[in-house]
Amino acid sequence: QVQLVESGGELVQAGGSLRLSCAASGRAFSSYPVGWFRQAPGKDREFVAAISWSGGSTFYAEAAKGRFTISRDNAKNTVYLQMSTLKPEDTAVYYCAAAKIGSRWLTRSDEYLYWGQGTQVTVSS
């Protein structure tokens, strides 16, 4: 069992930056790939970024490429999402999730076993 807690979401102006954190507790967190998803009001949850268990591989949605960076510190059981050049369309609740060990389909939400409660990111224009 893995418990995930996101933090770092807040109100920021367009063009600004934020770093989200996903702190994990539970066994063997370092074995799990981790992803970030987001859900805007009235929209489906969408994939943002993911990282392999080692941090050696990362994956990004087109909307995140070049602006967001996912990283992890397994010694701290924490995954980060550094977001820059934020746009109003980035406004959403951001969720981190831990995927099935060995999963290679990290853009799919059904590959994820454990989810955090989400953190709100609001980007004003």
Side-chain angles (χ1 to χ4, degrees), residues 82-125:
Q82 178 69 47
M83 304 186 294
S84 61
T85 321
L86 283 162
K87 306 174 182 179
E89 51 264 45
D90 294 318
T91 295
V93 177
Y94 283 71
Y95 300 89
C96 69
K100 300 171 188 176
I101 293 174
S103 172
R104 294 188 293 176
W105 302 98
L106 296 179
T107 62
R108 292 171 45 169
S109 61
D110 60 358
E111 287 292 298
Y112 290 80
L113 301 174
Y114 307 107
W115 292 81
Q117 83 291 345
T119 186
Q120 176 70 49
V121 172
T122 303
V123 184
S124 64
S125 57

Side-chain angles (χ1 to χ4, degrees), residues 5-107:
V5 178
E6 303 95 334
S7 61
E10 61 181 69
L11 173 64
V12 63
Q13 288 191 335
S17 299
L18 279 177
R19 188 176 78 160
L20 305 184
S21 298
C22 173
S25 60
R27 290 187 174 183
F29 173 70
S30 59
S31 300
Y32 292 89
V34 173
W36 285 94
F37 289 74
R38 66 186 183 185
Q39 187 166 20
K43 295 188 176 182
D44 292 335
R45 188 173 297 185
E46 65 176 4
F47 169 76
V48 177
I51 189 165
S52 63
W53 67 272
S54 67
S57 297
T58 56
F59 311 87
Y60 296 94
E62 284 298 321
K65 286 180 181 177
R67 298 190 301 126
F68 295 2
T69 302
I70 189 171
S71 62
R72 69 189 298 163
D73 185 341
N74 284 339
K76 295 183 178 179
N77 274 6
T78 303
V79 173
Y80 305 98
L81 185 67
Q82 178 69 47
M83 304 186 294
S84 61
T85 321
L86 283 162
K87 306 174 182 179
E89 51 264 45
D90 294 318
T91 295
V93 177
Y94 283 71
Y95 300 89
C96 69
K100 300 171 188 176
I101 293 174
S103 172
R104 294 188 293 176
W105 302 98
L106 296 179
T107 62

